[in-house]
């Protein structure tokens, strides 16, 4: 695969209807095969042993073994989350790329979900800065594939196995504007820090205009109803400056511990 530089324009490959199923690529009519997560969570009974829960346990085990084995020597890393729909000419994309670059300069590898948009941008920033660019992909109905800027890529069948890798091998999360997937990762991280499953784990939101209404709802409704403590709000930092996001992450991750 040719590596890209500033003088070579990025050419997006022709779209192909397809997705991944673990390490397998499925395209055209084969892409309609049910997802592994659907088999696990949505189906009730199969006679074929390869569709039973005991068999799935082996596949789940294999995903953890693959992830642990691949990332064990990664070193300090930070996960960057954000929308797969961020356009390449958008401010969000440029922010993510700048964050990826600055994280590498601060001594971190960069982990993303491996997809397009903000994920691609963060991987690109890390790659161009000479750092390690990691993508943790997931089986989806019509997968776009791992972006071109990933050095180390792992594709997962199961969301929970993938989410474990994000938390286990990251010293913090930087979260750009995104949709349900981004929110899922954000609140997963907040829950783990609140319950002290991970400690000294900075969570930085980038984009005060985007995240401001959510933060206001957390402060007024959640704290107001007593469903979280006022101090829980302090688990989140918010900024518009990529440099500040990386600085806060570096300072907050200095004593990261994941029991």
């Amino acid at each position: 695969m040719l590596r890209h530089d500033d003088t070579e324009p990025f050419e997006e490959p022709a779209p192909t209807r397809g997705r991944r199923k673990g390490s397998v690529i499925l395209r055209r009519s084969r892409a309609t095969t049910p997802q592994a997560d659907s088999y696990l969570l949505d189906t009730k009974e199969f006679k074929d042993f390869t569709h039973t829960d005991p068999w799935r346990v082996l596949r789940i085990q294999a995903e953890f073994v693959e992830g642990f084995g691949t990332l064990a020597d990664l070193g300090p890393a930070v996960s960057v989350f954000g929308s797969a729909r961020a356009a390449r000419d958008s401010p969000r994309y440029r922010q993510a790329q700048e964050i990826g670059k600055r994280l590498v300069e601060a001594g971190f590898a960069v982990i993303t979900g491996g997809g397009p948009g903000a994920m691609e941008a963060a991987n690109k920033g890390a790659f161009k800065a000479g750092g390690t660019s990691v993508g943790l992909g997931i089986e989806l109905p019509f997968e776009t594939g791992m972006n071109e800027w990933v050095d180390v890529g792992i594709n997962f069948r199961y969301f929970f196995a993938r989410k474990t890798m994000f938390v286990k091998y990251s010293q913090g999360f930087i979260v750009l504007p995104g949709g349900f997937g981004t929110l899922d990762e954000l609140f997963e991280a907040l829950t783990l820090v609140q319950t002290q499953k991970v400690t000294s784990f900075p969570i930085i939101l980038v984009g005060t205009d985007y995240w401001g209404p959510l933060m206001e709802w957390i402060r007024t409704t959640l704290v107001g109803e007593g469903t979280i403590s006022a101090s829980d709000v302090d688990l989140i930092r918010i900024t518009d400056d990529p440099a500040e996001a990386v600085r806060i992450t570096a300072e907050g991750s200095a004593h990261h511990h994941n029991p």
Side-chain angles (χ1 to χ4, degrees), residues 74-79 103 107-111 134 166 169-172 249 253:
L74 181 61
V78 171
S79 287
L103 283 171
F108 295 101
V110 173
I111 304 174
V134 179
F166 277 124
Y169 293 103
S170 296
Q171 274 68 55
T249 303
S253 67

Side-chain angles (χ1 to χ4, degrees), residues 101-219:
K101 171 179 175 289
R102 287 181 176 273
L103 283 171
V104 167
E105 292 171 348
F108 295 101
V110 173
I111 304 174
T112 79
M119 294 175 282
E120 174 188 290
N123 285 135
K124 181 178 181 179
F127 176 92
K128 285 182 169 289
T132 301
S133 176
V134 179
L136 306 181
I138 184 69
E139 173 188 329
L140 295 172
F142 296 104
E143 179 66 53
T144 57
M146 202 72 69
N147 72 66
E148 293 288 327
W149 306 100
V150 168
D151 292 317
V152 180
I154 308 172
N155 281 295
F156 291 87
R157 286 183 171 92
Y158 299 101
F159 266 113
F160 58 85
R162 177 184 185 237
K163 288 164 76 173
T164 298
M165 302 304 152
F166 277 124
V167 175
K168 181 172 177 60
Y169 293 103
S170 296
Q171 274 68 55
F173 284 178
I174 295 179
V175 188
L176 288 103
F180 286 152
T182 301
L183 292 169
D184 178 48
E185 297 293 352
L186 168 61
F187 282 102
E188 173 88 5
L190 287 170
T191 301
L192 292 173
V193 176
Q194 182 197 49
T195 57
Q196 299 182 20
K197 300 297 184 183
V198 293
T199 57
S200 301
F201 191 90
I203 301 167
I204 319 300
L205 305 183
V206 178
T208 54
D209 57 339
Y210 190 89
W211 297 112
L214 175 64
M215 291 300 298
E216 181 64 19
W217 176 73
I218 289 173
R219 291 189 188 98

